[in-house]
Each structure stands twice: as structure tokens, then as C-alpha cells.
Amino acid sequence: MSDNNNMKTSAPEVSKETIDAVMKKYDRESNTRIWEGKPKIAITLILVAFSLWCIYITLFATFLEEIRLTSFMGLIILMGFLIYPAKKGEQKPNHIPVYDIIFTILGTGSYMYFTFNANKIINQGTRFEWYQIIIGIIAIAALVEVTRRCVGIPILVVAAVFVIYALTIGLTNPEFFGRLKYLVRNLFYTKEGIFSTPVNVCSKFIVVFIIFGAFLEKTGISEFFIKLANSVAGRFAGGPAKVAVISSALCGMVSGSSVGNTVTTGSVTIPMMKETGYKPEFAGAVEAASSTGGQIMPPIMGAAAFLMADFVGVPYSSIIGRAILPAVLYFLGIFISVHLEAKKLRLTGIPKEQLPKISKLIKKIYLLLPLVMLVVWVSGNFMTMQKAAALAIILSIVVSLFDKDNRINFKKILEALEQGGKSAITVGAACGVAGIISGAITMTGLANDMINAIVGVAGNHLIIALVLTMLCCIVLGMGVPTTANYCIMAATTAPILIRMGVPTMAAHFFVFYFGIVADITPPVALAAYAGSAIAKSNPMKTAFQASKLAIAAFIVPYMFCYNPAMLLINTNPLDVAFICVTSVLGVFGLAAALEGYCFTDMNPLIRILVAAGGLMLIHPSTTTDLLGLLLLVCGLVFLYIRSKNKQIKTKAN
């Protein structure tokens, strides 16, 4: 392709109708009822009240934990039925069917029964009446239905498999009704099922951070991130793609949704990439891979960082500190790929006069203050995570006062609280189902059986266990939100690697990474399909291209399982510096080999040589580093000389 000097002054905008259609197709959260007039006001007030209630119970509540957890889930069920219709495409305003009203009352009532009888239920031990078991069944069914509406089928299929296993094989009671009673009691009336760690952490930490994210959005920080990325990288070769990588990384860590972030930032970046000269499949893939990577980007990591800290039993600051290098390598791999693709296609950047002035953006650097202070407060152990999030919400309102275009007034405060409450429905429901999965696995001993089976197949070969675990994570993570995704992986697959001798931290990072990349891995690559819808490209080709761009996410987890130094485990500053340098060189070599270009086109032999060198450099070992460096240097020198010879021949002709 020739130089793109005739690039139009601006990329065509994606219409709001197109964005809404894509979101409704690939993001369950966008398929909501239409409320107008007074009913809309009532729904808004319920969502606002829920957000305020969550902030209150995380900061000040001293009552029983069972009361906090059951009231939280009861309100999730109530809002779930009010917001999400039974099927897609219900467009009749202010309409809720009679069966939904009945289900709402029964579902919410079952959780509230537990809330108002918590002391009695706790004191009665294992002696449960059948009417209580029926209440428990209704509560579980209501959670399943809300999850189906706002999250999707995949996570329910996983839960159904484990529950059916428990009722048919897993539990020892010979009578079906005995097994049913035991299962319902454990899943609903104890903290081993629905109200286990996922919902506990969600109600205590995650919801407040979701509300904080909603307030942060009202400050205009997403627009600031996109403009900042434009000013930093827009003028370079293939600038719009580099803008997509940077802006999606920054926006994605706060949004907590791969699909949502792909559509939101992609509506701006994908048309720009296509206009520059990138193929539609490549443009959609860049946005999908970058937005998915936002879930592994510290300090927020799609709220999974808080869950991981609780599961692993380490401070939050330890999680985000260890996540930095793998996340940088992930985005560096994508960034290098889009740069080499631009060079191969001879693409230009965005004209300088169209870029935002960095001097103007610096004046709005204060927008980052809430995010920075949140990390400082939590990392320095100055206060609890929930208190830090609450103060960060207040700080986001304060900093917005300095920006007349995005000043948060009373109306925007209500909007942020409403959006926070609405976003919490999906996360809360998914965490509840994750608790069902975890509970069914624990009470049947299936977790131990799975571990023994995979360890038995793997023998003493860690690589076999890693590959099998990776496949489990990708399958179990398909179409599941970030937080619930990690909960499932932590309960089902992380113990496998721990049994094989992998450090606990490395095992949890491994399963978290492969659960996340399910969003871009065919066949259920929702983020990639959303990107392809915006780019108007082939969905499957876009998904495969996204997987190729995100190659670091498929390789780096293996490396930190073999050598945890990449996660800063049992290492020193000098080793960390050395690992950083060699890993960056390795990612460059791997990205270049996959692109088939560096200085000039690569033949198959050179691609293999450079790829091998890159892989060896990523592996933290002195021997592999030296050999990898030799291979990489030899390959790049050869390519450089060949490109110079081509230039000489071209000039001679």
C-alpha cells in the first residue's frame, strides 16, 4: 500500500444507534427495560438508594455479616428483575409482565426472609424445615434467572454441571430429597455457597469501586485518556492504532468490561484506524485485544485485584505491584505489532494540526488525582479499601469543580449513583453464581478429584498441567464478567497448579490471565465480535487476529509459573531490571515474528529464528537469555542488511 498522504481530515463517526445495537448484541448489561416518566424516576431512586446503602454498609454497618450479605443480594434480585427483561428486544415502555412481578416478589422476599430471620437461622444449626428449603430453592432460582438476563448463559451452564453432579453423584446421601435439602442448605443458608467469598468481597469492596468508577467517568476522564493518547502517539506511523492501545489500557482498567470498553473507545478509535489504512479485521482486533488487556492493567484490574488479594491473603498493594510487568509486556506486544504493521503498510500518523495540544491537556492533569490518591491510600495502608474508595468518590466530585465542561452537579451525582447501582447488578449476580459453583465443588470434594485427575495425567510434567489448566480457564471463562471469571478460576483451577508446586501468587495470576483472554479467544470471543461489529469486519478473522496481537498473554503466564521472578517473587532489584530488559526484547522479537516484518519482510526461516529468540528472552534464565539474544540479534542484523540492499537496488533502478 502506498503512503496514505490523502487521508481525510477526520474519521467518520460511529452513530449512537450502531453503538447501542452492538452493545445490546454482545453486552447483556445493555438489554434493559424502557422506563419513562414517573416509573423511571422510581427506578432511578431505587438504584441511587442501593448505591448509598452499599456505601453505608461498607463504611459504618456493624450488624451481622449475614444481614449485610442477604440484604445486598436481595436488592440485587429486586433491581435485576426491574431493569432486565426476560428476553432481548422488549421495547414496550413502562411494561413489566405479571410473571416478572411475581418472580420479583418471591425472589426478593426469599432473601429478605433470611435478612430478617438471620439470628434464628444461624442458631437452628442443620435443622431446617421444608418450607425453608423451598424458600432457598426460590432464592437460587431467582439468582439464576437474573444472571441469565444480565450476564448470559455460559456461566449458568458451568454452574448447572456442578449442581447436577452434586445431586446425582457427588453427595453421599442415598435419597434424592436428602441430597437436595443438604445442597440447598449449604448453598443458601451458609457462607459456603451464594454468600461465600465472591459476594462478600463484592458487597464490601467491589461495589464501592464500581460506584467510584461511575463518578470518575462523570469527570470526563475517558475523553481525557483518549486525547492524552492522541497527543502522545497520534502523530507517529499508524498513530490511531497506538492511540487505541494506550486509551483502551487506561479506560479498560476502570470500566471492568472488555466488551463495554471495546465498544466505547472503539467507536472513536476503530474508524480512525480504518481511515488511516489498517484493514478492518486488524482495527477491530487491536481495540478488542487492548480493551481486554485493560482487565489485567493495575491498579484496578477490573476490580479483580481486590478479590485476588482476599483469595491469596496478601495486601492489595502486593497484587498491583506484581501485576505491572506482565501488563506492560502485554500492551508492549500489541503496541509493537501495530507499529510494525504500520511500517509494513507505510501508513502515516494523524496530522499534527488535528491533534490535541499537550499543553492544554496538562491543565487537566488534576483529573487523575482521585485515581492516584486511591492507589496511595490503599497501597500505603493508610485506610481500608472501602474507605479509600469512598474518599476517592468525594475527591472526584471536588476535582470536577475545576472543569466547567464536566462539573459534577447534583444531577450528575444522581446519575453516577444510578449507573453504579445498575453496574453492580451484573457483578453481584455473577459473583452469586460463582459462589454456587464454588460451593458445589467444595461440598462434593470435586475440587480435590479434579486436582488429582489433572495432576495424575500431568505426572511430574508441569507443562502438561499448565496446558490443561489453560484450556479449562478459557472454556470456563467464555462470556463471563471479569470478577466472576476470576472467582471461578480461583476455586476450580488455581489449586491444580498450587498442587504442582507453582507459588500461590503465580497460580492465581495464571488462571486470571487465561480466564480474561477468553474474551478474545475463538469461538466465544465477545470482545472481538463487538470490535468486528464496529469495524464491519469478519468476526472470526478479527478474533484470531486479536489472539495473535495478545500473544504475550498466552506466553507470559507460563513464564512466571516456571520462574516467579517475573512476578517479583523471591528476587532482587538487579534481577528485576535484567528481567525487564530481556522480556521487553523478547516481546519485540515475538511480535516482529508474528507480523513477519522488521526493516523488511521476513522469510519463514528468519521468522522462526526471531520467534525462538523472543521466546528464550521472555523466559527468565541466564542461559536462555544469552542464546535468545544471539538469535534475535543475528536475525535483526540480517533483516537490516537486506533492507539496506533493497533500498540501494531501488535507488539504482
Side-chain angles (χ1 to χ4, degrees):
M1 184 175 179
S2 60
D3 290 345
N4 192 21
N5 294 324
N6 296 321
M7 187 177 67
K8 295 179 182 179
T9 56
S10 61
E13 291 185 1
V14 177
S15 67
K16 187 179 184 302
E17 290 75 15
T18 300
I19 295 172
D20 290 343
V22 173
M23 288 291 286
K24 286 182 178 180
K25 184 174 182 180
Y26 296 106
D27 185 31
R28 285 266 179 178
E29 290 184 73
S30 299
N31 290 288
T32 57
R33 298 188 197 276
I34 299 174
W35 295 106
E36 297 176 348
K38 291 181 179 180
K40 177 176 173 55
I41 295 173
I43 298 297
T44 297
L45 291 176
I46 291 173
L47 291 169
V48 169
F50 171 75
S51 293
L52 293 173
W53 168 249
C54 287
I55 294 172
Y56 168 77
I57 62 175
T58 57
L59 293 177
F60 308 112
T62 57
F63 41 69
L64 276 175
E65 194 172 56
E66 283 81 359
I67 294 176
R68 172 172 63 83
L69 297 174
T70 54
S71 62
F72 172 79
M73 287 306 297
L75 291 171
I76 289 288
I77 298 299
L78 171 65
M79 296 185 301
F81 282 114
L82 291 177
I83 300 295
Y84 296 100
K87 59 183 179 180
K88 291 183 178 181
E90 289 191 13
Q91 299 295 321
K92 190 175 179 181
N94 296 344
H95 174 69
I96 180 168
V98 174
Y99 61 81
D100 265 0
I101 296 174
I102 296 171
F103 217 164
T104 302
I105 295 170
L106 291 176
T108 306
S110 61
Y111 286 89
M112 291 306 167
Y113 165 77
F114 195 163
T115 301
F116 290 105
N117 295 276
N119 282 304
K120 173 187 171 184
I121 291 170
I122 293 169
N123 293 329
Q124 72 184 61
T126 60
R127 301 182 302 276
F128 279 82
E129 300 295 334
W130 270 108
Y131 78 87
Q132 292 178 311
I133 299 302
I134 292 171
I135 289 173
I137 292 172
I138 293 171
I140 294 170
L143 173 60
V144 167
E145 176 58 15
V146 168
T147 304
R148 183 193 69 81
R149 296 183 184 198
C150 65
V151 179
I153 298 295
I155 188 174
L156 296 180
V157 172
V158 175
V161 168
F162 289 118
V163 169
I164 292 170
Y165 172 82
L167 287 173
T168 55
I169 302 172
L171 298 177
T172 56
N173 193 313
E175 295 183 0
F176 174 78
F177 287 108
R179 295 194 297 271
L180 178 64
K181 187 174 182 179
Y182 180 79
L183 181 70
V184 172
R185 182 180 70 81
N186 277 271
L187 291 183
F188 184 65
Y189 289 107
T190 73
K191 288 191 283 187
E192 296 176 5
I194 293 173
F195 307 114
S196 57
T197 297
V199 166
N200 191 6
V201 175
C202 180
S203 63
K204 188 183 290 185
F205 304 131
I206 294 175
V207 172
V208 187
F209 280 91
I210 289 172
I211 297 169
F212 165 64
F215 273 91
L216 205 59
E217 284 295 316
K218 292 298 178 182
T219 65
I221 198 167
S222 293
E223 183 183 357
F224 172 78
F225 281 150
I226 293 174
K227 287 183 177 179
L228 180 64
N230 262 302
S231 65
V232 171
R235 67 183 183 277
F236 298 108
K242 294 171 182 175
V243 169
V245 176
I246 297 172
S247 61
S248 297
L250 296 172
C251 295
M253 66 177 176
V254 177
S255 74
S257 169
S258 301
V259 174
N261 195 47
T262 298
V263 175
T264 303
T265 57
S267 63
V268 177
T269 60
I270 290 174
M272 288 168 58
M273 284 187 271
K274 289 175 64 179
E275 192 73 7
T276 303
Y278 285 106
K279 294 178 181 177
E281 285 79 11
F282 192 87
V286 169
E287 183 56 53
S290 301
S291 293
T292 300
Q295 309 305 294
I296 62 173
M297 186 70 178
I300 305 299
M301 296 169 64
F306 313 113
L307 276 167
M308 193 179 294
D310 197 81
F311 269 110
V312 180
V314 299
Y316 163 79
S317 56
S318 179
I319 298 294
I320 61 173
R322 299 179 198 283
I324 292 173
L325 179 57
V328 168
L329 293 177
Y330 178 92
F331 284 103
L332 184 65
I334 302 175
F335 196 88
I336 291 169
S337 294
V338 300
H339 175 75
L340 294 176
E341 181 78 5
K343 288 294 186 182
K344 182 166 63 176
L345 299 177
R346 299 179 183 178
L347 305 180
T348 59
I350 302 171
K352 188 176 180 180
E353 60 272 12
Q354 294 181 21
L355 296 173
K357 302 294 182 183
I358 190 69
S359 57
K360 291 184 178 180
L361 289 175
I362 290 175
K363 294 178 181 178
K364 289 193 174 185
I365 199 72
Y366 57 82
L367 292 176
L368 296 176
L369 188 60
L371 197 56
V372 172
M373 290 308 300
L374 173 68
V375 175
V376 171
W377 286 330
V378 175
S379 300
N381 295 320
F382 294 108
M383 60 188 72
T384 61
M385 286 191 283
Q386 55 266 49
K387 188 175 181 180
L391 287 177
I393 291 172
I394 296 172
L395 188 56
S396 65
I397 297 173
V398 173
V399 298
S400 75
L401 300 178
F402 296 92
D403 183 0
K404 63 180 181 180
D405 296 325
N406 294 291
R407 193 166 291 152
I408 297 180
N409 51 28
F410 183 71
K411 181 183 177 183
K412 287 188 176 181
I413 289 175
L414 293 180
E415 289 174 353
L417 290 170
E418 178 186 10
Q419 184 56 46
K422 183 180 173 183
S423 298
I425 299 172
T426 302
V427 178
C431 284
V433 174
I436 291 177
I437 295 170
S438 176
I441 290 172
T442 302
M443 73 179 71
T444 59
L446 182 60
N448 196 52
D449 293 340
M450 290 173 59
I451 293 169
N452 290 335
I454 292 182
V455 170
V457 171
N460 294 321
H461 303 289
L462 178 59
I463 185 64
I464 297 176
L466 291 174
V467 170
L468 292 174
T469 304
M470 176 192 74
L471 294 175
C472 288
C473 290
I474 290 175
V475 171
L476 293 175
M478 289 178 176
V480 181
T482 300
T483 45
N485 189 326
Y486 170 67
C487 291
I488 296 170
M489 303 312 152
T492 58
T493 57
I496 297 169
L497 302 183
I498 295 171
R499 176 77 68 86
M500 291 293 294
V502 175
T504 301
M505 183 77 75
H508 279 261
F509 266 99
F510 183 93
V511 301
F512 175 55
Y513 265 55
F514 282 113
I516 294 302
V517 297
D519 278 344
I520 53 172
T521 306
V524 187
L526 294 183
Y529 295 160
S532 73
I534 298 289
K536 294 180 174 61
S537 61
N538 182 289
M540 195 57 68
K541 287 182 179 179
T542 303
F544 278 109
Q545 182 68 60
S547 298
K548 188 175 83 170
L549 288 170
I551 190 64
F554 291 90
I555 293 173
V556 169
Y558 282 88
M559 299 308 175
F560 56 59
C561 282
Y562 276 104
N563 192 333
M566 186 169 279
L567 288 176
L568 314 184
I569 299 174
N570 298 328
T571 187
N572 57 63
L574 185 61
D575 287 341
V576 170
F578 191 73
I579 289 170
C580 288
V581 172
T582 55
S583 297
V584 167
L585 290 173
V587 168
F588 174 81
L590 198 58
L594 289 172
E595 278 298 313
Y597 183 90
C598 185
F599 302 122
T600 186
D601 292 331
M602 297 183 187
N603 60 43
L605 181 61
I606 295 298
R607 290 181 77 166
I608 293 172
L609 182 73
V610 173
L615 286 170
M616 290 181 180
L617 281 162
I618 293 173
H619 186 277
S621 164
T622 304
T623 303
T624 56
D625 285 343
L626 292 174
L627 184 56
L629 186 62
L630 179 64
L631 291 175
L632 184 62
V633 169
C634 289
L636 295 181
V637 168
F638 174 81
L639 291 169
Y640 181 75
I641 293 172
R642 198 171 80 171
S643 70
K644 287 297 181 183
N645 290 337
K646 281 186 177 181
Q647 291 176 13
I648 293 170
K649 288 181 181 179
T650 302
K651 289 180 180 179
N653 293 331

